[in-house]
Coordinates of all heavy atoms in Angstrom, one line a residue:
M1 N 16.7 -19.9 -8.5 CA 15.7 -18.9 -8.8 C 14.5 -19.6 -9.4 O 14.6 -20.3 -10.4 CB 16.3 -17.9 -9.8 CG 15.4 -16.8 -10.1 SD 15.8 -15.8 -11.5 CE 17.4 -16.2 -11.8
P2 N 13.3 -19.4 -8.9 CA 12.1 -19.9 -9.5 C 11.9 -19.5 -10.9 O 12.3 -18.4 -11.3 CB 10.9 -19.4 -8.6 CG 11.6 -18.9 -7.4 CD 13.0 -18.5 -7.8
E3 N 11.4 -20.4 -11.7 CA 11.2 -20.0 -13.1 C 10.4 -18.7 -13.3 O 10.6 -17.9 -14.2 CB 10.5 -21.1 -13.9 CG 10.5 -21.0 -15.4 CD 9.9 -22.2 -16.1 OE1 9.9 -23.3 -15.4 OE2 9.5 -22.0 -17.2
S4 N 9.5 -18.5 -12.4 CA 8.6 -17.3 -12.5 C 9.3 -16.0 -12.2 O 8.8 -14.9 -12.5 CB 7.4 -17.4 -11.6 OG 7.9 -17.5 -10.2
F5 N 10.6 -16.1 -11.7 CA 11.4 -14.9 -11.5 C 12.3 -14.6 -12.7 O 13.3 -13.9 -12.5 CB 12.2 -15.1 -10.2 CG 11.4 -14.7 -9.0 CD1 10.0 -14.8 -9.0 CD2 12.0 -14.3 -7.8 CE1 9.2 -14.5 -7.9 CE2 11.3 -14.0 -6.7 CZ 9.9 -14.1 -6.7
D6 N 12.0 -15.1 -13.8 CA 12.8 -14.9 -15.0 C 12.6 -13.4 -15.5 O 11.5 -13.0 -15.8 CB 12.3 -15.8 -16.2 CG 12.9 -15.4 -17.5 OD1 14.0 -14.7 -17.5 OD2 12.4 -15.8 -18.5
C7 N 13.6 -12.6 -15.3 CA 13.5 -11.1 -15.6 C 13.0 -10.9 -17.0 O 12.4 -9.8 -17.2 CB 14.8 -10.5 -15.3 SG 15.4 -10.5 -13.6
Q8 N 13.4 -11.7 -17.9 CA 13.0 -11.5 -19.3 C 11.5 -11.6 -19.6 O 11.1 -11.3 -20.7 CB 13.9 -12.3 -20.3 CG 15.3 -11.8 -20.3 CD 16.2 -12.6 -21.1 OE1 16.2 -13.9 -21.1 NE2 17.1 -12.0 -21.9
S9 N 10.9 -12.2 -18.6 CA 9.4 -12.3 -18.8 C 8.7 -11.5 -17.8 O 7.5 -11.7 -17.4 CB 8.9 -13.8 -18.7 OG 9.3 -14.3 -17.4
C10 N 9.4 -10.5 -17.2 CA 8.9 -9.7 -16.1 C 9.0 -8.2 -16.5 O 8.2 -7.6 -17.1 CB 9.6 -10.0 -14.8 SG 9.1 -9.0 -13.4
G11 N 10.1 -7.5 -16.0 CA 10.4 -6.2 -16.3 C 9.7 -5.2 -15.3 O 9.7 -4.0 -15.4
A12 N 9.1 -5.8 -14.2 CA 8.3 -4.9 -13.2 C 9.2 -3.9 -12.6 O 8.7 -2.7 -12.4 CB 7.7 -5.9 -12.2
C13 N 10.4 -4.2 -12.2 CA 11.2 -3.3 -11.4 C 11.6 -2.1 -12.3 O 11.9 -1.0 -11.8 CB 12.4 -3.9 -10.8 SG 13.5 -4.7 -12.0
C14 N 11.5 -2.3 -13.6 CA 11.9 -1.2 -14.6 C 10.7 -0.3 -14.9 O 10.8 0.6 -15.6 CB 12.5 -1.7 -15.8 SG 13.8 -2.9 -15.6
S15 N 9.6 -0.6 -14.3 CA 8.3 0.1 -14.7 C 7.4 0.3 -13.4 O 6.2 0.2 -13.6 CB 7.6 -0.5 -15.8 OG 7.4 -1.9 -15.5
T16 N 8.1 0.6 -12.3 CA 7.3 0.8 -11.1 C 7.4 2.2 -10.5 O 6.5 2.6 -9.9 CB 7.8 -0.3 -10.1 OG1 7.4 -1.6 -10.5 CG2 7.2 -0.1 -8.7
S17 N 8.6 2.8 -10.7 CA 8.8 4.2 -10.2 C 9.8 5.0 -10.9 O 10.9 4.5 -11.2 CB 9.2 4.1 -8.7 OG 9.6 5.3 -8.2
A18 N 9.4 6.2 -11.2 CA 10.4 7.0 -12.0 C 11.6 7.4 -11.1 O 12.6 7.9 -11.6 CB 9.6 8.3 -12.5
D19 N 11.4 7.3 -9.8 CA 12.4 7.6 -8.9 C 13.5 6.5 -8.7 O 14.5 6.7 -8.0 CB 11.9 8.0 -7.5 CG 11.2 9.3 -7.5 OD1 11.5 10.2 -8.3 OD2 10.2 9.5 -6.7
W20 N 13.1 5.3 -9.2 CA 14.0 4.1 -8.9 C 15.3 4.1 -9.7 O 16.4 4.0 -9.1 CB 13.2 2.8 -9.0 CG 14.0 1.7 -8.7 CD1 14.5 1.3 -7.4 CD2 14.6 0.7 -9.6 NE1 15.3 0.2 -7.5 CE2 15.4 -0.2 -8.8 CE3 14.5 0.5 -11.0 CZ2 16.1 -1.2 -9.4 CZ3 15.3 -0.5 -11.5 CH2 16.0 -1.4 -10.8
P21 N 15.2 4.2 -11.0 CA 16.5 4.1 -11.8 C 17.3 5.3 -11.7 O 17.6 6.0 -12.7 CB 16.0 3.7 -13.2 CG 14.6 4.3 -13.3 CD 14.1 4.3 -11.9
R22 N 17.8 5.6 -10.5 CA 18.6 6.9 -10.3 C 20.1 6.5 -10.4 O 20.5 5.5 -10.0 CB 18.3 7.4 -8.9 CG 17.0 8.1 -8.8 CD 16.9 8.7 -7.4 NE 15.8 9.7 -7.3 CZ 16.0 11.0 -7.7 NH1 17.2 11.4 -8.1 NH2 15.0 11.8 -7.7
F23 N 20.8 7.5 -10.8 CA 22.3 7.3 -10.8 C 22.8 7.4 -9.4 O 22.3 8.2 -8.6 CB 22.9 8.3 -11.7 CG 22.4 8.3 -13.2 CD1 22.3 9.4 -13.9 CD2 22.1 7.1 -13.7 CE1 21.8 9.4 -15.2 CE2 21.6 7.0 -15.1 CZ 21.4 8.2 -15.8
S24 N 23.9 6.8 -9.1 CA 24.4 6.8 -7.8 C 25.9 6.9 -7.8 O 26.5 8.0 -7.8 CB 24.0 5.6 -6.9 OG 24.3 4.4 -7.6
T25 N 26.6 5.8 -7.9 CA 28.1 5.7 -7.8 C 28.8 5.6 -9.1 O 30.0 5.4 -9.2 CB 28.5 4.6 -6.9 OG1 28.0 3.4 -7.4 CG2 28.0 4.8 -5.5
E26 N 28.0 5.8 -10.2 CA 28.6 5.6 -11.6 C 29.6 6.7 -11.8 O 29.3 7.9 -11.6 CB 27.5 5.7 -12.7 CG 26.5 4.6 -12.6 CD 25.3 4.9 -11.7 OE1 25.4 6.0 -11.0 OE2 24.4 4.1 -11.6
P27 N 30.8 6.3 -12.4 CA 31.7 7.4 -12.8 C 31.1 8.1 -14.1 O 30.3 7.5 -14.8 CB 33.0 6.6 -13.1 CG 32.5 5.2 -13.4 CD 31.3 5.0 -12.6
D28 N 31.6 9.2 -14.3 CA 31.1 10.1 -15.4 C 31.3 9.3 -16.7 O 30.4 9.4 -17.6 CB 31.8 11.4 -15.5 CG 31.4 12.4 -14.4 OD1 30.3 12.1 -13.8 OD2 32.1 13.3 -14.2
E29 N 32.4 8.6 -16.8 CA 32.6 7.8 -18.1 C 31.5 6.8 -18.4 O 31.2 6.6 -19.5 CB 34.0 7.1 -18.0 CG 35.2 8.0 -17.7 CD 35.3 8.2 -16.2 OE1 35.5 7.2 -15.5 OE2 35.1 9.4 -15.7
A30 N 31.0 6.2 -17.3 CA 29.9 5.2 -17.5 C 28.6 5.9 -17.9 O 27.9 5.4 -18.8 CB 29.7 4.4 -16.2
L31 N 28.3 7.1 -17.2 CA 27.1 7.8 -17.5 C 27.1 8.4 -19.0 O 26.1 8.4 -19.6 CB 26.9 8.9 -16.5 CG 26.6 8.4 -15.1 CD1 26.5 9.7 -14.2 CD2 25.5 7.4 -15.0
D32 N 28.3 8.7 -19.4 CA 28.4 9.3 -20.7 C 28.0 8.3 -21.8 O 27.7 8.7 -23.0 CB 29.8 9.8 -21.0 CG 30.2 11.0 -20.2 OD1 29.2 11.7 -19.7 OD2 31.4 11.4 -20.1
L33 N 28.0 7.0 -21.5 CA 27.7 6.0 -22.5 C 26.2 5.9 -22.7 O 25.7 5.3 -23.7 CB 28.3 4.6 -22.0 CG 29.8 4.5 -21.9 CD1 30.1 3.1 -21.3 CD2 30.4 4.7 -23.3
I34 N 25.4 6.3 -21.7 CA 23.9 6.2 -21.9 C 23.4 7.2 -22.8 O 23.7 8.4 -22.5 CB 23.3 6.3 -20.4 CG1 23.9 5.2 -19.5 CG2 21.8 6.2 -20.5 CD1 23.4 5.3 -18.1
P35 N 22.6 6.8 -23.8 CA 22.1 7.8 -24.7 C 21.4 9.0 -24.0 O 20.6 8.7 -23.1 CB 21.2 7.0 -25.6 CG 21.7 5.6 -25.5 CD 22.3 5.5 -24.1
E36 N 21.6 10.2 -24.4 CA 21.1 11.4 -23.8 C 19.6 11.3 -23.7 O 18.9 11.7 -22.8 CB 21.6 12.6 -24.6 CG 21.2 13.9 -23.8 CD 21.7 15.1 -24.6 OE1 22.7 14.9 -25.4 OE2 21.2 16.2 -24.4
A37 N 18.9 10.7 -24.8 CA 17.5 10.6 -24.9 C 16.9 9.8 -23.8 O 15.7 9.8 -23.5 CB 17.1 10.1 -26.2
L38 N 17.8 8.9 -23.2 CA 17.3 8.0 -22.1 C 17.6 8.5 -20.7 O 17.3 7.8 -19.8 CB 17.9 6.6 -22.3 CG 17.5 5.9 -23.7 CD1 18.2 4.6 -23.7 CD2 16.0 5.7 -23.7
V39 N 18.2 9.7 -20.6 CA 18.6 10.3 -19.3 C 17.5 11.3 -19.0 O 17.1 12.1 -19.8 CB 20.0 10.8 -19.4 CG1 20.3 11.6 -18.1 CG2 21.0 9.7 -19.7
S40 N 17.2 11.4 -17.7 CA 16.2 12.4 -17.2 C 16.7 13.8 -17.5 O 17.9 14.0 -17.5 CB 15.9 12.2 -15.7 OG 17.0 12.4 -15.0
L41 N 15.7 14.7 -17.6 CA 16.1 16.1 -17.9 C 17.0 16.7 -16.8 O 17.9 17.5 -17.1 CB 14.9 16.9 -18.1 CG 14.0 16.5 -19.3 CD1 12.8 17.4 -19.4 CD2 14.8 16.6 -20.6
D42 N 16.8 16.3 -15.6 CA 17.6 16.8 -14.5 C 18.9 16.0 -14.3 O 19.7 16.3 -13.4 CB 16.9 16.9 -13.2 CG 16.5 15.6 -12.6 OD1 16.9 14.6 -13.2 OD2 15.8 15.6 -11.6
L43 N 19.2 15.0 -15.2 CA 20.4 14.2 -15.2 C 20.6 13.3 -14.0 O 21.6 12.9 -13.7 CB 21.7 15.1 -15.4 CG 21.7 16.0 -16.6 CD1 23.0 16.8 -16.6 CD2 21.4 15.3 -17.9
S44 N 19.5 13.2 -13.2 CA 19.6 12.4 -12.0 C 19.4 10.9 -12.1 O 19.7 10.1 -11.2 CB 18.5 12.9 -11.0 OG 17.2 12.6 -11.5
G45 N 18.9 10.5 -13.3 CA 18.7 9.0 -13.5 C 18.2 8.8 -14.8 O 18.3 9.6 -15.8
M46 N 17.6 7.6 -15.0 CA 17.0 7.2 -16.3 C 15.8 8.0 -16.6 O 15.0 8.3 -15.6 CB 16.7 5.7 -16.4 CG 18.0 4.8 -16.2 SD 19.1 5.1 -17.6 CE 18.2 4.6 -19.0
R47 N 15.5 8.4 -17.8 CA 14.3 9.0 -18.2 C 13.1 8.0 -18.2 O 13.3 6.9 -18.6 CB 14.4 9.7 -19.5 CG 13.2 10.7 -19.8 CD 13.4 11.4 -21.1 NE 14.7 12.1 -21.2 CZ 14.9 13.0 -22.1 NH1 14.0 13.3 -23.1 NH2 16.1 13.7 -22.1
C48 N 12.0 8.5 -17.6 CA 10.8 7.6 -17.5 C 9.7 8.3 -18.1 O 9.5 9.5 -18.2 CB 10.6 7.2 -16.0 SG 11.9 6.3 -15.2
E49 N 8.7 7.4 -18.6 CA 7.4 7.9 -19.0 C 6.5 7.3 -18.0 O 6.3 6.1 -17.9 CB 7.1 7.4 -20.4 CG 5.8 8.1 -20.9 CD 5.7 7.7 -22.4 OE1 6.5 8.2 -23.2 OE2 4.8 6.9 -22.7
N50 N 5.8 8.2 -17.2 CA 5.1 7.8 -16.0 C 6.1 7.0 -15.1 O 7.1 7.5 -14.8 CB 3.9 6.9 -16.4 CG 2.9 7.8 -17.2 OD1 2.7 9.0 -16.9 ND2 2.3 7.3 -18.3
D51 N 5.8 5.7 -14.8 CA 6.7 5.0 -14.0 C 7.7 4.0 -14.7 O 8.4 3.2 -14.1 CB 5.9 4.1 -13.0 CG 5.3 5.0 -12.0 OD1 5.8 6.1 -11.6 OD2 4.2 4.7 -11.4
R52 N 7.6 4.1 -16.0 CA 8.4 3.2 -16.9 C 9.7 3.8 -17.5 O 9.6 4.8 -18.1 CB 7.5 2.6 -18.0 CG 8.2 1.6 -18.9 CD 7.3 1.1 -19.9 NE 8.0 0.4 -21.0 CZ 7.7 -0.8 -21.4 NH1 6.6 -1.4 -21.0 NH2 8.4 -1.4 -22.3
C53 N 10.8 3.1 -17.2 CA 12.1 3.5 -17.8 C 12.0 3.4 -19.3 O 11.5 2.4 -19.8 CB 13.2 2.6 -17.2 SG 14.8 3.0 -17.9
L54 N 12.4 4.4 -20.0 CA 12.4 4.5 -21.4 C 13.4 3.4 -22.1 O 13.2 3.2 -23.2 CB 12.7 5.9 -21.9 CG 11.6 6.9 -21.7 CD1 12.0 8.2 -22.5 CD2 10.2 6.4 -22.2
A55 N 14.3 2.9 -21.3 CA 15.2 1.9 -21.8 C 14.5 0.5 -21.9 O 15.1 -0.4 -22.4 CB 16.5 1.9 -21.0
L56 N 13.4 0.4 -21.3 CA 12.8 -0.9 -21.3 C 12.0 -1.2 -22.5 O 11.1 -0.4 -22.9 CB 11.8 -1.0 -20.0 CG 11.2 -2.4 -19.8 CD1 12.3 -3.4 -19.4 CD2 10.1 -2.3 -18.8
A57 N 12.2 -2.3 -23.1 CA 11.5 -2.7 -24.4 C 10.6 -3.9 -24.0 O 10.9 -4.7 -23.1 CB 12.5 -3.1 -25.4
G58 N 9.5 -4.0 -24.7 CA 8.7 -5.1 -24.6 C 7.4 -4.8 -23.7 O 7.1 -3.7 -23.3
T59 N 6.8 -5.9 -23.2 CA 5.5 -5.8 -22.4 C 5.7 -6.4 -21.1 O 6.2 -7.6 -21.0 CB 4.4 -6.6 -23.1 OG1 4.2 -6.0 -24.5 CG2 3.1 -6.5 -22.3
V60 N 5.5 -5.6 -20.0 CA 5.7 -6.1 -18.7 C 4.9 -7.3 -18.4 O 3.7 -7.3 -18.7 CB 5.5 -4.9 -17.6 CG1 5.5 -5.4 -16.2 CG2 6.5 -3.8 -17.9
G61 N 5.5 -8.3 -17.8 CA 4.8 -9.4 -17.4 C 4.7 -10.5 -18.5 O 4.2 -11.6 -18.3
Q62 N 5.3 -10.1 -19.7 CA 5.2 -11.0 -20.8 C 6.6 -11.2 -21.4 O 7.2 -12.3 -21.3 CB 4.3 -10.5 -21.9 CG 2.8 -10.5 -21.5 CD 1.9 -10.0 -22.6 OE1 2.2 -10.1 -23.8 NE2 0.7 -9.5 -22.2
G63 N 7.2 -10.2 -21.9 CA 8.5 -10.3 -22.4 C 9.2 -8.9 -22.5 O 8.6 -8.0 -23.1
T64 N 10.3 -8.7 -21.8 CA 10.9 -7.4 -21.7 C 12.4 -7.6 -21.8 O 13.0 -8.7 -21.6 CB 10.6 -6.7 -20.4 OG1 11.0 -7.5 -19.3 CG2 9.2 -6.3 -20.3
A65 N 13.1 -6.4 -22.2 CA 14.6 -6.4 -22.2 C 15.0 -5.0 -21.9 O 14.3 -4.0 -22.3 CB 15.1 -6.9 -23.6
C66 N 16.1 -4.9 -21.3 CA 16.8 -3.6 -21.1 C 17.6 -3.3 -22.3 O 18.5 -4.1 -22.7 CB 17.7 -3.6 -19.9 SG 18.6 -2.1 -19.7
T67 N 17.3 -2.2 -23.0 CA 18.0 -1.9 -24.3 C 19.4 -1.4 -24.0 O 20.1 -1.2 -25.0 CB 17.2 -0.9 -25.1 OG1 17.0 0.3 -24.4 CG2 15.8 -1.6 -25.5
I68 N 19.7 -1.1 -22.8 CA 21.1 -0.6 -22.5 C 21.7 -1.5 -21.4 O 22.5 -1.1 -20.6 CB 21.1 0.9 -22.0 CG1 20.3 1.0 -20.7 CG2 20.6 1.8 -23.1 CD1 20.7 2.2 -19.9
Y69 N 21.4 -2.8 -21.5 CA 21.8 -3.8 -20.5 C 23.3 -3.6 -20.1 O 23.6 -3.7 -18.9 CB 21.4 -5.2 -20.9 CG 21.6 -6.2 -19.8 CD1 20.6 -6.4 -18.8 CD2 22.7 -7.0 -19.7 CE1 20.7 -7.3 -17.8 CE2 22.8 -7.9 -18.8 CZ 21.9 -8.1 -17.8 OH 22.0 -9.1 -16.8
A70 N 24.1 -3.6 -21.0 CA 25.6 -3.7 -20.8 C 26.0 -2.4 -20.0 O 27.1 -2.5 -19.4 CB 26.3 -3.9 -22.0
I71 N 25.2 -1.4 -20.2 CA 25.8 -0.1 -19.6 C 24.7 0.5 -18.6 O 24.7 1.7 -18.3 CB 26.0 1.0 -20.7 CG1 24.8 1.1 -21.6 CG2 27.3 0.6 -21.5 CD1 25.0 2.3 -22.6
R72 N 23.8 -0.4 -18.1 CA 22.7 0.0 -17.2 C 23.3 0.6 -15.9 O 24.4 0.2 -15.5 CB 21.7 -1.1 -17.0 CG 22.3 -2.3 -16.1 CD 21.5 -3.5 -16.4 NE 21.8 -4.6 -15.5 CZ 22.8 -5.4 -15.7 NH1 23.7 -5.2 -16.6 NH2 23.1 -6.4 -14.8
P73 N 22.5 1.4 -15.2 CA 23.0 2.0 -14.0 C 23.3 1.0 -12.8 O 22.8 -0.2 -12.9 CB 21.9 3.0 -13.5 CG 21.2 3.2 -14.8 CD 21.3 2.0 -15.6
V74 N 23.9 1.4 -11.8 CA 24.3 0.5 -10.7 C 23.0 0.0 -10.0 O 23.0 -1.2 -9.6 CB 25.2 1.3 -9.7 CG1 25.3 0.5 -8.4 CG2 26.6 1.6 -10.3
V75 N 22.0 0.9 -9.8 CA 20.8 0.4 -9.1 C 20.2 -0.8 -9.8 O 19.7 -1.7 -9.2 CB 19.9 1.5 -8.8 CG1 19.3 2.0 -10.2 CG2 18.7 1.2 -7.9
C76 N 20.3 -0.8 -11.1 CA 19.7 -1.8 -11.9 C 20.5 -3.1 -11.8 O 19.9 -4.3 -11.7 CB 19.7 -1.4 -13.4 SG 18.9 0.2 -13.6
R77 N 21.8 -2.9 -11.7 CA 22.7 -4.1 -11.5 C 22.5 -4.8 -10.1 O 22.6 -6.0 -10.0 CB 24.1 -3.7 -11.7 CG 24.4 -3.2 -13.0 CD 25.9 -2.6 -13.0 NE 26.1 -1.9 -14.3 CZ 26.5 -2.5 -15.5 NH1 26.7 -3.8 -15.4 NH2 26.6 -1.9 -16.6
E78 N 22.2 -4.0 -9.2 CA 22.2 -4.5 -7.8 C 20.8 -5.1 -7.5 O 20.6 -5.9 -6.6 CB 22.4 -3.3 -6.8 CG 23.8 -2.9 -6.8 CD 24.2 -1.8 -5.8 OE1 23.2 -1.2 -5.3 OE2 25.4 -1.6 -5.6
C79 N 19.7 -4.8 -8.2 CA 18.4 -5.4 -8.0 C 18.5 -6.8 -8.5 O 18.8 -7.1 -9.6 CB 17.4 -4.6 -8.8 SG 15.7 -5.3 -8.5
Q80 N 18.2 -7.7 -7.6 CA 18.3 -9.2 -7.9 C 16.9 -9.8 -7.8 O 16.0 -9.4 -6.9 CB 19.2 -9.8 -6.9 CG 20.6 -9.4 -7.0 CD 21.3 -9.8 -8.3 OE1 21.0 -10.9 -8.9 NE2 22.0 -8.9 -8.9
P81 N 16.6 -10.8 -8.7 CA 15.3 -11.5 -8.6 C 15.1 -12.0 -7.2 O 16.0 -12.7 -6.7 CB 15.5 -12.6 -9.6 CG 16.5 -12.1 -10.6 CD 17.4 -11.3 -9.7
G82 N 13.9 -11.7 -6.6 CA 13.6 -12.2 -5.3 C 13.9 -11.3 -4.2 O 13.6 -11.5 -3.0
D83 N 14.7 -10.2 -4.5 CA 15.0 -9.3 -3.4 C 13.8 -8.4 -3.0 O 12.8 -8.4 -3.8 CB 16.3 -8.5 -3.6 CG 16.1 -7.4 -4.6 OD1 15.0 -7.1 -5.0 OD2 17.2 -6.9 -5.1
P84 N 13.8 -7.6 -1.9 CA 12.6 -6.9 -1.5 C 12.1 -6.0 -2.6 O 10.8 -5.9 -2.8 CB 13.1 -6.1 -0.3 CG 14.2 -6.9 0.3 CD 14.9 -7.5 -0.9
E85 N 12.9 -5.2 -3.3 CA 12.5 -4.3 -4.4 C 11.8 -5.1 -5.5 O 10.8 -4.7 -6.1 CB 13.6 -3.5 -4.9 CG 14.2 -2.5 -4.0 CD 15.2 -3.1 -2.9 OE1 15.5 -4.3 -3.1 OE2 15.4 -2.4 -2.0
C86 N 12.4 -6.2 -5.8 CA 11.8 -7.1 -6.9 C 10.4 -7.6 -6.5 O 9.5 -7.4 -7.3 CB 12.7 -8.3 -7.1 SG 11.9 -9.7 -8.0
L87 N 10.2 -8.0 -5.2 CA 8.9 -8.6 -4.8 C 7.9 -7.4 -4.8 O 6.7 -7.7 -5.2 CB 9.1 -9.2 -3.4 CG 10.1 -10.4 -3.4 CD1 10.1 -11.0 -2.0 CD2 9.6 -11.5 -4.4
I88 N 8.3 -6.2 -4.3 CA 7.3 -5.1 -4.3 C 6.9 -4.8 -5.8 O 5.7 -4.6 -6.0 CB 8.0 -3.9 -3.7 CG1 8.1 -4.2 -2.1 CG2 7.1 -2.6 -3.9 CD1 9.0 -3.1 -1.4
A89 N 7.8 -4.7 -6.7 CA 7.5 -4.3 -8.0 C 6.6 -5.4 -8.7 O 5.7 -5.1 -9.4 CB 8.8 -4.2 -8.8
R90 N 6.9 -6.6 -8.5 CA 6.1 -7.7 -9.1 C 4.7 -7.7 -8.5 O 3.7 -7.8 -9.2 CB 6.8 -9.0 -8.8 CG 8.1 -9.3 -9.6 CD 8.8 -10.5 -9.2 NE 8.0 -11.7 -9.5 CZ 8.1 -12.4 -10.6 NH1 8.9 -12.0 -11.6 NH2 7.3 -13.5 -10.8
D91 N 4.6 -7.4 -7.2 CA 3.3 -7.4 -6.6 C 2.5 -6.2 -7.1 O 1.3 -6.4 -7.4 CB 3.5 -7.2 -5.1 CG 2.2 -7.3 -4.3 OD1 1.5 -8.3 -4.5 OD2 1.8 -6.4 -3.5
L92 N 3.1 -5.1 -7.3 CA 2.4 -3.9 -7.9 C 1.9 -4.2 -9.3 O 0.8 -3.7 -9.7 CB 3.3 -2.7 -7.9 CG 3.5 -2.0 -6.6 CD1 4.7 -1.0 -6.7 CD2 2.3 -1.4 -6.1
H93 N 2.6 -5.1 -10.0 CA 2.2 -5.4 -11.4 C 1.3 -6.7 -11.4 O 1.0 -7.1 -12.5 CB 3.4 -5.5 -12.3 CG 4.0 -4.2 -12.7 ND1 3.6 -3.5 -13.8 CD2 4.9 -3.4 -12.1 CE1 4.2 -2.3 -13.8 NE2 5.0 -2.3 -12.8
G94 N 1.1 -7.2 -10.2 CA 0.2 -8.4 -10.3 C 0.9 -9.6 -10.8 O 0.3 -10.6 -11.3
I95 N 2.3 -9.6 -10.8 CA 3.0 -10.7 -11.3 C 3.4 -11.7 -10.2 O 4.1 -11.2 -9.2 CB 4.3 -10.3 -12.0 CG1 4.0 -9.3 -13.1 CG2 5.1 -11.5 -12.6 CD1 5.2 -8.6 -13.8
V96 N 2.9 -12.8 -10.2 CA 3.1 -13.8 -9.0 C 4.3 -14.7 -9.3 O 4.7 -14.9 -10.4 CB 1.9 -14.6 -8.7 CG1 0.8 -13.6 -8.2 CG2 1.4 -15.4 -9.9
Ligands
SF4_101 S1 11.0 -7.4 -10.7 FE1 12.4 -9.0 -10.2 S2 12.0 -10.6 -11.7 FE2 11.1 -8.8 -12.4 S3 12.7 -7.9 -13.8 FE3 13.0 -7.0 -11.8 S4 14.4 -8.3 -10.7 FE4 13.7 -9.4 -12.5
SF4_102 S1 18.1 1.0 -17.4 FE1 17.4 -1.0 -18.0 S2 17.6 -2.3 -16.1 FE2 17.5 -0.1 -15.5 S3 15.4 0.5 -15.1 FE3 15.8 1.0 -17.2 S4 15.2 -0.8 -18.4 FE4 15.4 -1.4 -16.3

């Protein structure tokens, strides 16, 4: 992985679309672990402010962290540095 694809200095995929961090195949027990304040009102995914997931801490493109990393949704686990979604998100944020 190129050094520039370090997720901890990026965070673009977590702040690109309110529709992205949706719940999918998680069992109820896994979803129950996510703080209610971080879940969307319709319970379909992570709560976002504009396009940014509320679980994301830090500044996109500088230093970020998922505050619920160990219990993050499946879609977040499946997004890998360098994959198409990653590249689109980075491009939208001007992160090369
Ligand atoms: S956009 Fe890519 S590099 Fe940036 S945090 Fe997401 S997976 Fe990591
Ligand atoms: S739950 Fe964590 S990994 Fe998933 S979009 Fe939010 S901040 Fe990113």
Side-chain angles (χ1 to χ4, degrees):
M1 183 193 347
E3 191 177 338
S4 61
F5 278 25
D6 172 19
C7 294
Q8 290 178 316
S9 61
C10 178
C13 58
C14 309
S15 50
T16 292
S17 170
D19 289 330
W20 183 69
R22 285 183 163 277
F23 302 146
S24 54
T25 58
E26 297 86 356
D28 287 345
E29 307 82 67
L31 296 179
D32 287 346
L33 296 175
I34 301 175
E36 190 178 337
L38 298 178
V39 175
S40 67
L41 295 179
D42 67 2
L43 307 180
S44 65
M46 296 299 296
R47 191 176 302 192
C48 293
E49 187 172 290
N50 298 317
D51 289 330
R52 178 177 169 132
C53 175
L54 288 187
L56 185 68
T59 302
V60 173
Q62 294 183 22
T64 56
C66 173
T67 58
I68 60 158
Y69 188 79
I71 55 172
R72 69 198 187 284
V74 168
V75 66
C76 310
R77 297 172 187 276
E78 291 182 340
C79 184
Q80 294 294 318
D83 74 13
E85 291 79 12
C86 163
L87 297 179
I88 291 170
R90 289 174 64 93
D91 187 54
L92 284 169
H93 284 273
I95 302 171
V96 293

